[in-house]
Amino acid sequence: MQLSRRALLSVLPASALFTAAQSARARAVGAGAARATGRDVSGDHARLVANTVAALAGTADSNSRTEVAPRLTAVRETARARLAAMDAAPTGALFKGLPLGESDTNLTTSFQYLYEIALATVTPGPAQTPAPAPSAKPTGGAPQTGSADHKADHQTDHQADRKVDHQADRKRVIDGLARLYDDYYGDQSKGYYGNWFNWEIGISSHITRILVLLKDDLAAYRPELTATCVASMDAYLRNGKGGDVDLDSRFHTGANLADITTNRMLQGAVLNDEARVTKALADQLTVLARIDPYHLDHQVTDGFYADGSYLQHGSVAYTGSYGKGLLTRVVQTVKILEGTAYVRDDSMVVAVRDWVRDGFAPLIFEGWMMEIVKGRGVSRTVTGYADTAAVVEAVVDLSGYAAGDEAAALKGYVRFVRQTSHGSLSADSFTSPVSIARYADIVADASLPASDLRAPAYTAAFNAMDRTVHRRPGWAFALARSSSRVSAYEYMSGENLMPWFQGAGAHYLYLAGQDQSLSYGVDYYTVLAPSRLAGVTAPVETRRTVPELYGTQWYDNPEAGFTSSSESQNAFVYFPRGTNSVSGGAVLGSYGAAALVQADDAAYAAKQAGALPDDFVAYQGARATKSWFMLDDEVVVLAAGIRDPAGRAVTTTLDSRIADPSDDVSVHGEPRRGGSLPGDGTAHPVWLRYVNATRSTAVGYVFLKATAGVRPTVTLETVTRGRRLVRQANPDTSVTKQVFSVQVEQPPSSPSVAMAYALVPNASARRLRGYAHGPLKVLANTVGVQAVVHAGLGLTAANTFTRGSHRAGRLSMEGPASVILRRSPDGTTTVAVSDPTMERNTVSVTVLGPALRVRSADAGVRVRRVSGGTRLDVTTHHAYGRSFTAVLDDRSGAGAGPATGPVSPAAP
């Protein structure tokens, strides 16, 4: 469901429409509009506060559940630790270990600690007196079912080292809030150092939650403090306009916008400020609209796209981090608005449900969030299972607001993720006790079938963020590309220190039944050299990280426009885009094709053009033209034009895998006549097979075409490195892994080479031997066209990269294109076409042979008979990588004349 701005505004009450449409109008106007309707907005504000307290602290019902007990224990123990740190704080700090005055991170953490204390004082539990009831009861509380036998678990609450006095602790929180405001936050001339996020979002989130949780205490004890803090939070919105959100600001987009507007909604509720609430809600609702790259609102590219892609920072593939945050925040909005007049239909629920199905489900494999959409987050010690837990919590809550089959599907997906996960997927990490109780009910409901939201076998082409996911029972393949539209990598804040090749065709092959943290996650990046990531072609050279180059976490040169959060820093240091336009691919049914022309990133191009300072360091990339054809049992990879423009040595890594040092890992294969096997170093095999007998896993590598000068090098070595190598804030924990790699090494100044191979997950030796007799055949592998045929599937797939005519098997293509053709036993031929450049108005493809008639065709596809075959002219203008499909038939009147499918502009 795609929502226009008008449709979005329809979910607001009539009293808010004027405020939403006229976002720059004064606060008094919005409040006047609300009063004109005669609606008592104070009731809605009280409901917002009560719902938020319930979401954060739980309710008496939810907190009586056995399953919630660990969360309540964690809340209490955290608060005790924070109070102890407050008791031991030296001069110049509110908490021990967090000196204040120069560190924005320490200031943000100090506010966080106050919030964590406040949360414990209002969290209901059987061993403590519940918090004073808000003036309005929360809606949508935890289910009533479940055992309350855990009460004894909490009887030690008052036997702890530190006695709990909630009233006194609330006053300590308020006093601490006042002290931080007076000494370190309130003076605008001294604040806003360090990271802008802390001042506009991080600190404000903690303060706002405190104001909500302790609303009545603040009114009784320090009644002026709430408005004073809100005024300062407004003033710190320096990337906004007039102390409010600015939808034209590059800082107020996507997940960041959702965070800011949620804070402002809650601030409006505690201040009884209707204009603030309705304006913030109207601003937040804009994130629900799918991004149309050809008609950008406020020039914003951050958000979800029609193909399920999610971008943040304008060009970073970020579903697994910022996208996750946006999902969480919008579902939170659904929860806190329940029972109010602000939402009258299920538009928010429907939009977010589509995000889950199209954007998140393909990226979660057996409970693990894939690396390709985590940006700099791949360098953190948080696992893919923890990332997924946040998504699961959101889906759990969302299921409570969906109806009928939709609710059942969401609950079934929660059960599916839990049942298929091979890592820890615990509800203890959930934010809300209410969500934990709901999750427990879903898990306990045996009448709900566990079911994925997608089919077992499919290809998801996230072309708007240069990502592809190919799913099959038993394995999943994830591919990361880059282009002039999408960043080659993301580094920031000392995170992901060596990111250079993560968007250069890096792939991840996930095998079913495994704990993925043993194969991927932070340890994968720690023990692998950055140029040896699976799938990457890279020059052989030593590169230095940003802190090594400049002595800081960014390139600091204000005179040249480089500050910690400047646009130049973003474009050339943090997340530079590529310079190639060819990066995309087609999907036909469950099969996929992807194409990439590898080139320099934007930083090197700008440096060569003389646009960057002399002391700015940029690195040149290698060159390659690559295709991935994703089928039922294998992923076929073709690469041509592999070379280095500077004459450096080049390494192309066909695959890399890691294993625990104690795992029984071996590699064997079959040599070509006169060749050798891996034990001799440089191999000349027909196929190789990697086996981890301890984990019962195997991956096969089939070399489809012998090429002069191309001999894989196979290595299996034990590597020990520290996790701080990839992220400055990581603990300096040493990691030891066995590292297996298959790569092709080209010496300096060598001519360009080509190679063709297949990755075969879970392959037996017998199956690998079978490739000698088919069914795969390489039709072409040049920098102009790459194509394969799979006889068993009746499938031909081709990518073309240059202007002019290209022929491969039954296909003739004009200019750059991605095409898949499949002939079915019933005599039909289905063709899928995509523009991998996203720049062409029309892509033309001819199916050679007898003329075919059209049985069906997507809008935008014209089919006609031409000499020698059947021509498809596909209108790809403004399609943004979408695949167009036509079904052709060679029976009963195929030669009866021209056949034309529907013709209309293609929607993105």
Side-chain angles (χ1 to χ4, degrees), residues 604-859:
Y604 185 81
K607 178 73 171 180
Q608 294 304 109
L612 297 177
D614 291 341
D615 65 340
F616 186 96
V617 177
Y619 294 108
Q620 186 177 25
R623 301 291 186 267
T625 297
K626 293 188 177 184
S627 291
W628 295 261
F629 301 112
M630 293 156 279
L631 309 175
D632 283 330
D633 299 319
E634 61 276 301
V635 175
V636 182
V637 184
L638 305 186
I642 303 174
R643 63 183 181 86
D644 185 71
R648 297 164 295 183
V650 174
T651 297
T652 297
T653 303
L654 283 59
D655 198 22
S656 288
R657 305 195 68 79
I658 66 172
D660 280 354
S662 61
D663 284 1
D664 180 7
V665 174
S666 62
V667 184
H668 64 279
E670 179 181 333
R672 295 187 187 278
R673 181 176 300 177
S676 58
L677 284 179
D680 300 313
T682 301
H684 199 184
V686 176
W687 56 265
L688 293 171
R689 183 169 181 255
Y690 164 90
V691 178
N692 185 329
T694 305
R695 309 295 171 185
S696 300
T697 59
V699 179
Y701 308 92
V702 178
F703 301 90
L704 297 173
K705 190 174 182 180
T707 304
V710 176
R711 287 182 175 234
T713 297
V714 180
T715 58
L716 180 59
E717 56 186 340
T718 299
V719 176
T720 299
R721 292 197 179 102
R723 288 174 173 167
R724 198 168 290 170
L725 189 69
V726 295
R727 179 173 179 261
Q728 288 181 325
N730 279 347
D732 198 19
T733 304
S734 291
V735 175
T736 299
K737 292 284 185 179
Q738 293 184 75
V739 177
F740 160 78
S741 290
V742 185
Q743 60 262 338
V744 173
E745 299 177 338
Q746 297 169 244
S749 302
S750 60
S752 64
V753 301
M755 61 189 73
Y757 57 95
L759 304 172
V760 189
N762 305 316
S764 65
R766 179 179 179 181
R767 188 159 137 213
L768 294 172
R769 292 188 193 101
Y771 281 94
H773 309 291
L776 288 170
K777 180 181 178 181
V778 177
L779 297 176
N781 187 15
T782 70
V783 295
V785 57
Q786 295 174 334
V788 298
V789 62
H790 191 293
L793 296 174
L795 182 144
T796 301
N799 291 322
T800 54
F801 301 89
T802 56
R803 294 181 180 180
S805 297
H806 306 278
R807 180 169 177 173
R810 294 183 63 197
L811 294 171
S812 176
M813 296 145 286
E814 299 291 329
S818 184
V819 183
I820 306 174
L821 176 150
R822 189 181 189 197
R823 181 173 173 80
S824 301
D826 64 0
T828 58
T829 297
T830 307
V831 183
V833 179
S834 176
D835 168 23
T837 71
M838 303 193 189
E839 297 173 350
R840 304 189 65 192
N841 291 329
T842 304
V843 173
S844 296
V845 177
T846 299
V847 180
L848 302 173
L852 306 173
R853 70 172 186 174
V854 63
R855 176 178 288 188
S856 64
D858 288 345

Side-chain angles (χ1 to χ4, degrees), residues 527-579:
V527 298
L528 276 178
S531 60
R532 297 296 178 96
L533 298 180
V536 162
T537 294
V540 178
E541 66 178 359
T542 299
R543 296 189 175 190
R544 291 186 293 165
T545 68
V546 169
E548 288 171 340
L549 287 169
Y550 308 119
T552 62
Q553 292 183 344
W554 60 87
Y555 173 62
D556 192 20
N557 189 341
E559 293 78 11
F562 286 85
T563 60
S564 63
S565 58
S566 66
E567 291 189 59
S568 294
Q569 198 79 229
N570 291 348
F572 302 121
V573 178
Y574 291 159
F575 33 85
R577 303 184 188 196
T579 55

